């Protein structure tokens, strides 16, 4: 294979929907298409609207799939709005025709899939759109992972689920969790500290009362306040 980080544009291969190489040059001599080509081609066959497919191995998403943590939970409003629920395929052997079979039905209805114990598949009208969807999947996985850490520390707990799909996996902030949020918000942080948006999303995902959270956040930096207001608006819109 060829390390993708070292690949040049002149080394890209053009293939048809049957996988036949259509262009040859000195730069592509001896190169072969990716071993995951069947999965890519199946996506294009199932989705005429798609012009870009990205297969990747984002580490947190892969780790959660190995641990059996589903990602089809309506947890974050921006993920619901942008991607809907993110299903996980049945396990398929990497670099085999099984990958095409595993994604065949799901990719017809979804723009992002988690490949069990393997990676992700995202699609779009452009490469940029497919890449941004990949970023959203991994961000969603990161929030899931952080929620699990908070639960282990006793800061959040599972709440009783209702009958609706969005009630299946809900969380509630414990008293200790609310105290920790106030302590964290009161701690001076560098302006570019990247914990701010992630933790605000975590606490909103855990169903902290929006008015109470915003009242606390109002006392602190503009960046945090704007981030919180955005996610509150998205949350109310997605669940309306």
């Amino acid at each position: 294979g060829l390390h993708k980080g070292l690949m040049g544009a002149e080394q890209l291969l053009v293939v048809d929907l049957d996988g036949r190489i259509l262009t040859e040059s000195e730069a592509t001599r001896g190169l072969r298409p990716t071993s995951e080509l069947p999965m890519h081609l199946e996506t294009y066959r199932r989705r005429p609207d798609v012009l870009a497919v990205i297969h990747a191995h984002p580490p947190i998403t892969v780790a959660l799939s190995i641990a059996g943590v589903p990602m089809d939970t309506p947890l974050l409003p921006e993920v619901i709005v942008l991607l809907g629920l993110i299903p996980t395929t049945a396990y398929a052997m990497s670099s085999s025709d099984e990958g095409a079979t595993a994604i065949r039905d799901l990719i017809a209805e979804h723009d992002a899939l988690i490949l069990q114990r393997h990676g992700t598949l995202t699609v779009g009208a452009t490469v940029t759109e497919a890449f941004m969807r990949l970023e959203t999947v991994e961000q969603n996985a990161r929030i899931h992972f952080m929620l699990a850490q908070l639960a282990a520390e006793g800061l959040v707990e599972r709440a009783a689920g209702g009958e609706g799909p969005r009630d299946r996996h809900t969380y509630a902030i414990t008293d200790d969790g609310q105290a920790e949020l106030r302590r964290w918000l009161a701690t001076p942080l560098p302006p570019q500290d990247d914990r701010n948006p992630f933790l605000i999303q975590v606490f909103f995902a855990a169903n902290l009362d929006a008015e109470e959270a915003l009242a606390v956040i109002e006392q602190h930096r503009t960046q945090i306040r704007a981030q919180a207001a955005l996610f509150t608006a998205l949350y109310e819109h997605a669940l309306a």
Side-chain angles (χ1 to χ4, degrees):
L2 181 65
H3 191 298
K4 289 186 286 293
L6 303 178
M7 180 186 296
E10 70 280 0
Q11 294 174 300
L12 293 174
L13 296 175
V14 178
V15 302
D16 63 17
L17 284 177
D18 294 317
R20 293 186 294 261
I21 298 176
L22 300 180
T23 58
E24 291 187 7
S25 67
E26 186 62 32
T28 61
R29 190 180 305 279
L31 298 180
R32 294 178 298 174
T34 171
S35 59
E36 299 291 358
L37 184 62
M39 182 169 61
H40 286 254
L41 295 179
E42 185 65 21
T43 300
Y44 288 119
R45 294 188 190 103
R46 299 289 288 173
R47 292 286 299 274
D49 59 308
V50 163
L51 298 177
V53 179
I54 294 181
H55 167 49
H57 307 97
I60 300 177
T61 302
V62 173
L64 292 183
S65 81
I66 293 173
V69 178
M71 298 281 280
D72 59 349
T73 300
L75 185 66
L76 298 173
E78 68 274 24
V79 177
I80 297 170
V81 171
L82 296 174
L83 290 178
L85 304 184
I86 307 171
T88 299
T89 70
Y91 176 74
M93 182 70 71
S94 301
S95 302
S96 74
D97 290 340
E98 293 178 10
T101 302
I103 62 98
R104 181 169 296 145
D105 293 332
L106 290 174
I107 199 61
E109 302 294 336
H110 299 275
D111 294 326
L113 303 179
I114 296 171
L115 311 176
Q116 180 64 251
R117 307 178 71 88
H118 182 183
T120 58
L121 189 74
T122 53
V123 301
T126 65
V127 172
T128 299
E129 184 176 47
F131 175 74
M132 294 304 294
R133 286 171 172 167
L134 165 62
E135 293 280 277
T136 299
V137 172
E138 182 69 349
Q139 167 76 339
N140 191 45
R142 183 174 183 180
I143 301 302
H144 273 75
F145 179 67
M146 294 175 73
L147 267 174
Q149 290 179 309
L150 290 171
E153 295 171 5
L155 302 182
V156 300
E157 60 188 1
R158 280 288 179 92
E163 296 181 358
R166 67 184 176 91
D167 297 320
R168 289 180 301 142
H169 304 286
T170 58
Y171 292 85
I173 295 286
T174 63
D175 291 341
D176 287 344
Q178 295 211 25
E180 177 64 15
L181 174 61
R182 289 184 174 86
R183 182 204 63 76
W184 178 81
L185 287 173
T187 302
L189 294 172
Q192 300 304 317
D193 192 300
D194 64 1
R195 289 179 295 169
N196 298 342
F198 292 125
L199 285 187
I200 291 300
Q201 287 180 68
V202 166
F203 282 107
F204 270 108
N207 292 336
L208 179 65
D209 179 79
E211 290 186 4
E212 182 179 3
L214 287 174
V216 176
I217 294 166
E218 183 68 27
Q219 305 170 28
H220 300 279
R221 294 205 312 273
T222 301
Q223 178 186 0
I224 299 178
R225 184 167 61 250
Q227 187 79 21
L230 170 62
F231 285 113
T232 300
L234 282 172
Y235 190 81
E236 293 173 349
H237 172 76
L239 299 184

